[in-house]
Amino acid sequence: MSDLPKKLDGVEFLECEEYIHDLKQELDRPFSDLKIIIFKLTYSRLFKILFPAIERGLENGAQVELFLDGIFSHERLTKGLFIVPFGENLREEERMQKELDAALERLKSKGAKISYFNRPNWFNKNILPFAFRDHRKLVLIKRENGGDLGYFGATNLDDGYQNDFMIKVTNKSVLHTLQKFADHDWMERRQDDIEEKINEKLEEMAKNYGK
């Protein structure tokens, strides 16, 4: 990587710590719209660095949307699809899960929209739902007076990914392409939301069956 340019025509290579520092600086500036699409979000050091800036943006009237993987983000150990930790590890996982739940609820209470990609449900739980995941790591920031930017690459908001990287984008053509990816994922989200509502209805009918 050392032979490659770090920055070229509105595209900049950032290692994990550089990315988190840079993203926090950008979120500390006023923004009108923030979209985060991510595979794995945990109550990690990386997330805790960014959380106050996201919360402050909401308090200042920004639109914030988080699109998280339905298993590996937030609900990663709650569906019984993977080996579950035990003992001290289990208690630590439960503590982190509760803290993440509380943080996300706090964002939602201030207007953030949080959705999950392909959560296990009646439609997919029998055909290995974990095989169809959204591995995208994408952040888009819009400002009313210009200065839009984005990030994409390999870094999750989880401390196990600190050796990965992201690409910062200010080039308008590349930003347009990233927005197309985001629009596609939001269409998937809306379909997933419809299926979830149907799933909730089916579960309600199943509980009432035979009463």
Side-chain angles (χ1 to χ4, degrees):
M1 289 290 184
S2 59
D3 295 332
L4 298 175
K6 291 273 289 183
K7 188 173 183 179
L8 181 66
D9 192 23
V11 177
E12 182 177 3
F13 175 89
L14 299 172
E15 295 182 3
C16 177
E17 292 298 328
E18 294 174 316
Y19 159 61
I20 294 298
H21 177 74
D22 193 87
L23 177 54
K24 182 180 183 303
Q25 283 192 322
E26 294 292 354
L27 292 177
D28 282 339
R29 297 175 54 200
F31 61 90
S32 58
D33 188 274
L34 170 67
K35 286 184 173 64
I36 297 177
I37 301 173
I38 198 156
F39 174 64
K40 189 170 185 180
L41 172 68
T42 62
Y43 196 70
S44 58
R45 180 183 67 88
L46 302 182
F47 176 66
K48 287 185 279 189
I49 289 172
L50 301 177
F51 180 83
I54 298 172
E55 187 176 37
R56 189 164 53 250
L58 285 163
E59 292 169 351
N60 292 332
Q63 299 291 316
V64 174
E65 295 179 279
L66 279 70
F67 187 32
L68 315 174
D69 185 83
I71 293 177
F72 287 88
S73 284
H74 182 48
E75 296 188 354
R76 63 197 183 285
L77 291 175
T78 61
K79 299 297 182 181
L81 295 174
F82 302 97
I83 297 173
V84 178
F86 56 90
E88 288 299 324
N89 290 334
L90 175 58
R91 284 188 284 273
E92 178 63 13
E93 284 285 355
E94 289 175 342
R95 182 190 66 79
M96 291 182 64
Q97 188 67 58
K98 288 178 181 178
E99 290 179 335
L100 180 60
D101 290 344
L104 294 179
E105 284 301 318
R106 189 165 161 179
L107 293 181
K108 287 171 68 175
S109 72
K110 297 188 177 185
K113 297 178 181 178
I114 300 175
S115 297
Y116 298 92
F117 176 83
N118 197 27
R119 287 199 282 194
N121 57 44
W122 285 56
F123 294 92
N124 61 22
K125 66 181 179 181
N126 294 320
I127 54 171
L128 303 180
F130 51 83
F132 183 37
R133 315 274 20 112
D134 186 350
H135 284 266
R136 214 181 309 284
K137 297 92 179 173
L138 175 62
V139 178
L140 292 171
I141 300 172
K142 291 185 178 180
R143 296 192 168 95
E144 291 182 353
N145 298 320
D148 297 352
L149 66 141
Y151 302 85
F152 72 98
T155 302
N156 287 289
L157 292 180
D158 177 79
D159 291 338
Y161 293 79
Q162 296 185 57
N163 293 322
D164 287 322
F165 66 91
M166 292 291 272
I167 305 295
K168 181 179 182 179
V169 175
T170 54
N171 181 289
K172 291 183 178 179
S173 297
V174 181
L175 275 176
H176 178 75
T177 301
L178 293 182
Q179 184 62 57
K180 291 293 186 184
F181 282 125
D183 291 344
H184 173 270
D185 284 354
W186 249 258
M187 288 296 293
E188 290 282 353
R189 180 203 69 179
R190 283 192 285 272
Q191 180 62 32
D192 209 36
D193 286 347
I194 291 170
E195 290 185 355
E196 185 172 344
K197 289 177 182 177
I198 297 173
N199 180 55
E200 290 173 355
K201 187 64 177 177
L202 288 172
E203 289 179 347
E204 181 183 347
M205 293 169 63
K207 289 178 181 177
N208 293 331
Y209 181 76
K211 285 186 176 181

